[in-house]
Amino acid sequence: WWGASQPSSLAPIIAPGAEVRVSPSKLQSFSECELKWFLENHGGRDGDSDAALIGSAIHALAAMMAEPEPPSLEELKERLSARWKILSTKKGWANSYQLDQAIEKLEKFFSWHQKNERTLFRVEARFEAEFRRVRLVGSADRLEIVVNDQGEESLYVVDLKTTSTVPNKADAKE
């Protein structure tokens, strides 16, 4: 890069043979842009955006569906609205619009959850897997089970998305 100073070190960032911890979301970020991944993982990142905070809030509310007595849609909306001041930096009509959009996402999730024929097994299920010197660590938003007519169980991993852009089938498969 023009104007950049000389490297402060030529030593490897991770010592040869040392374990490398990777999360699926970081792996996706790396596959999209290696430079962005590197900078964000080494201090070059602002705080969480409104979208990230709202997404985290909706994921937390969605996880409540695993409680012995899950909340109603109205209870979920009340919880979201009560915490809205700490989730959004917008003012005026933009704040109201953003809250309406978040409530709409919550309604879509709730409707999907009610119609879902699979059995909710776990939420925010932590996992770890090793491959050579790589340790893949993360959590699955939901694990769901289906039992077929022969009594065989199938496990489904569900990744909840709160972005405004809907992934196509190829993106979802990847």
Side-chain angles (χ1 to χ4, degrees):
W1 293 336
W2 182 80
S5 60
Q6 294 298 314
S8 57
S9 172
L10 297 177
I13 294 170
I14 300 171
E19 178 180 88
V20 179
R21 293 179 62 87
V22 179
S23 74
S25 60
K26 300 289 184 186
L27 191 57
Q28 180 179 355
S29 174
F30 181 80
S31 71
E32 291 167 358
C33 178
E34 296 93 342
L35 179 59
K36 180 182 176 195
W37 171 87
F38 178 82
L39 293 172
E40 287 182 349
N41 283 284
H42 293 85
R45 185 171 180 255
D46 288 337
D48 288 331
S49 67
D50 283 6
L53 291 171
I54 294 165
S56 294
I58 291 173
H59 274 74
L61 294 169
M64 295 175 134
M65 301 316 290
E67 293 178 359
E69 293 189 31
S72 68
L73 176 58
E74 290 309 312
E75 290 170 320
L76 292 174
K77 287 182 192 180
E78 286 172 18
R79 288 176 185 248
L80 180 63
S81 296
R83 289 159 181 80
W84 191 251
K85 288 181 184 176
I86 62 172
L87 297 174
S88 175
T89 58
K90 304 278 190 269
K91 303 285 184 227
W93 69 268
N95 186 315
S96 298
Y97 177 77
Q98 194 174 41
L99 175 58
D100 290 345
Q101 294 294 306
I103 288 173
E104 185 178 317
K105 289 175 184 181
L106 195 56
E107 289 170 341
K108 284 181 181 178
F109 162 77
F110 193 84
S111 174
W112 170 82
H113 175 80
Q114 295 295 96
K115 294 175 193 170
N116 188 2
E117 295 180 2
R118 297 184 294 248
T119 301
L120 180 58
F121 175 61
R122 298 226 4 231
V123 294
E124 297 301 325
R126 302 283 308 155
F127 65 84
E128 286 192 30
E130 284 185 55
F131 179 72
R132 297 188 183 150
R133 61 182 264 210
V134 174
R135 181 177 299 270
L136 183 66
V137 293
S139 64
D141 294 336
R142 293 168 62 105
L143 294 180
E144 299 174 350
I145 297 175
V146 172
V147 180
N148 68 16
D149 295 337
Q150 291 78 34
E152 300 166 328
E153 294 181 341
S154 295
L155 182 65
Y156 288 80
V157 178
V158 178
D159 184 22
L160 300 176
K161 294 295 184 192
T162 57
T163 61
S164 297
T165 55
V166 178
N168 60 38
K169 282 189 177 187
D171 289 341
K173 187 175 180 179
E174 183 182 323

